[in-house]
Amino acid sequence: MSLPKPTFTLTIPSVHDGIPLDCRLFAPKPTKTELPLQAAIIAHPYAPLGGCYDDPVVNEVAGVLFKAGYFVLLFNFRGAYKSASRTSWSGKSELADYVSIYGFIVHFLNSVKTCVDSINAGESPRIDSAVGTSLTLGGYSYGSMMAMNLPSVHNVMAMFRTALDTSPEAAIRSRALDMAKEWTRELQRKIESRGQSRQSLSTTTNNNGNSLAVSMGGGETESKSRRTSRDSRRSLDLEGLRKSMDKVRSKISPGRTARSSDEEEDGSEKYLNGGTDFLSPPAISYLLISPLVGPVAGLLTCFSKLSLPTPKSSSTEKTTGNENGSQLAQHNTLAIYGEGDHFTSRRKFDRWAQSLADVPNSRFRAHRIPRGGHFWQNVEAMRELSDTVRAWAGAGNLSEGSSMTG
């Protein structure tokens, strides 16, 4: 399933060393009832073997999720395509690259929700949105190995919350907020210009859900090879949002007048101005396509333990990775692998999957595709892969207690 033109092309600085990572964000078309606040990251295979965000399996899975109403974020690890630097021997730098994208999308989703809530507090046409946010951490091959070794969402959020103002984390927060304002403002403008009510919200973007084609970032490094791109400067009218909030407050507390300039900001306004204390964690799920387990994973990391190194510019302590797959068992997880995968035997896959499924209260599920291989060249196997992802996404990532079989 093909993807449309990306809504945003951007670079995000890696929290490891600040090098720019090339990214594409695809924004979905709102449904007739609400704006979905669910997102997915799909990481690509090993860069030295040609892996990048243009990989056909990555794009197939991403296309299915986009069609299901997800914001989809694709990126290139260091050393892949237009991303700077080179692939590391240990994989720790790449894990930090993924955490950078992780932090960005968490802040982006929260920013979109905050902007929408602020718009709905005023007199503009309402934009219904989901109550909470959700995020699927995914990957194919090497990308799935990185995804399943990520720190918990709370550790990632703490890392961004305590980062120094001059750090890559701070730049990522700022870029996510700016982009959310830009996208939400464009959505609001279209609604107002067409005089549409929330019942006809589904026509506020084009058929691909892409109303913008904006490039952002590119100023993370001072190297000669630094990429240049436009930085979007438009933002929501914060003063207008504050007035809308004051109206809501006056209705709740009739005796209260509009907030004076020296009054304390509420949580929404603090977040719109760059604060992170009011960040809400998304519901996390994992989608692993042809995950690398066993010796092959060790070879690609020189058998070192995958954990996140302490960023030089951060005040946080070392952040550990996904200890013993506990995150995979704790959250809704779907692992899909082909029976003919030549990197990992069926027996090893089955044993690995069973060990995670046997964890008490595990929410891990595996689906084995008989004709599938690691590169998914069989047309029928690729179709089953797409159908499996589509069913999983359509079922809300499968509620606890559900199962999928090979």
Side-chain angles (χ1 to χ4, degrees), residues 44-64:
H44 64 76
Y46 195 50
L49 297 181
C52 70
Y53 60 19
D54 284 326
D55 181 89
V57 177
V58 168
N59 277 260
E60 177 70 19
V61 173
V64 170

Side-chain angles (χ1 to χ4, degrees), residues 219-292:
E220 290 79 20
T221 69
E222 297 299 326
S223 66
K224 294 181 180 179
S225 61
R226 181 179 62 188
R227 297 183 61 213
T228 57
S229 59
R230 301 191 314 273
D231 188 4
S232 174
R233 300 298 182 186
R234 289 184 294 170
S235 63
L236 287 168
D237 181 358
L238 293 184
E239 185 59 33
L241 296 179
R242 292 189 181 100
K243 290 180 180 179
S244 297
M245 293 177 183
D246 287 338
K247 291 180 181 179
V248 175
R249 292 193 195 94
S250 65
K251 292 179 181 178
I252 297 174
S253 303
R256 180 174 178 174
T257 59
R259 180 177 57 82
S260 62
S261 59
D262 59 348
E263 283 186 281
E264 183 180 1
E265 299 173 310
D266 71 4
S268 297
E269 291 172 287
K270 283 184 177 180
Y271 188 74
L272 284 171
N273 284 313
T276 59
D277 292 340
F278 299 89
L279 199 65
S280 299
I284 298 296
S285 59
Y286 292 86
L287 177 59
L288 311 175
I289 310 299
S290 300
L292 299 177

Side-chain angles (χ1 to χ4, degrees), residues 12-214:
I12 293 175
S14 174
V15 298
H16 177 62
D17 52 12
I19 63 106
L21 305 172
D22 200 40
C23 308
R24 294 171 178 168
L25 178 63
F26 301 85
K29 180 174 69 174
T31 67
K32 293 182 179 180
T33 55
E34 66 178 20
L35 171 68
L37 290 175
Q38 55 192 6
I41 303 168
I42 306 297
H44 64 76
Y46 195 50
L49 297 181
C52 70
Y53 60 19
D54 284 326
D55 181 89
V57 177
V58 168
N59 277 260
E60 177 70 19
V61 173
V64 170
L65 294 174
F66 173 80
K67 185 78 171 179
Y70 284 68
F71 287 92
V72 176
L73 184 57
L74 305 182
F75 73 101
N76 286 320
F77 285 112
R78 62 186 56 231
Y81 195 39
K82 294 182 180 180
S83 289
S85 193
R86 63 183 64 183
T87 303
S88 72
W89 289 104
S90 67
K92 293 181 179 180
S93 300
E94 286 74 16
L95 187 63
D97 292 346
Y98 201 130
V99 167
S100 308
I101 309 304
Y102 191 165
F104 171 85
I105 203 66
V106 168
H107 284 79
F108 175 81
L109 285 175
N110 270 270
S111 298
V112 168
K113 180 165 178 55
T114 302
C115 290
V116 168
D117 289 346
S118 298
I119 290 171
N120 290 340
E123 297 178 353
S124 300
R126 284 184 55 84
I127 305 174
D128 285 353
S129 64
V131 176
T133 60
S134 62
L135 173 59
T136 295
L137 303 170
Y140 163 46
S141 188
Y142 181 83
S144 68
M145 182 179 71
M146 291 298 153
M148 65 192 195
N149 281 282
L150 289 165
S152 71
V153 63
H154 298 289
N155 282 342
V156 171
M157 289 173 62
M159 175 181 172
F160 278 79
R161 184 172 58 249
T162 59
L164 303 177
D165 291 341
T166 57
S167 66
E169 294 92 330
I172 291 170
R173 291 197 311 252
S174 177
R175 191 157 298 168
L177 178 57
D178 288 345
M179 189 171 294
K181 290 177 182 178
E182 177 75 14
W183 187 79
T184 311
R185 175 178 175 171
E186 182 70 12
L187 181 62
Q188 181 188 20
R189 185 190 67 78
K190 283 183 173 287
I191 294 172
E192 291 178 341
S193 65
R194 298 180 184 179
Q196 293 174 326
S197 65
R198 62 180 178 178
Q199 283 79 15
S200 58
L201 179 60
S202 61
T203 61
T204 60
T205 57
N206 63 28
N207 291 334
N208 288 329
N210 293 286
S211 56
L212 297 171
V214 178

Side-chain angles (χ1 to χ4, degrees), residues 290 336-341 344 349 367-373 376:
S290 300
I336 305 175
Y337 55 99
E339 191 171 274
D341 194 307
T344 306
F349 265 132
H367 184 83
R368 186 176 64 247
I369 297 180
R371 293 171 296 278
W376 301 95

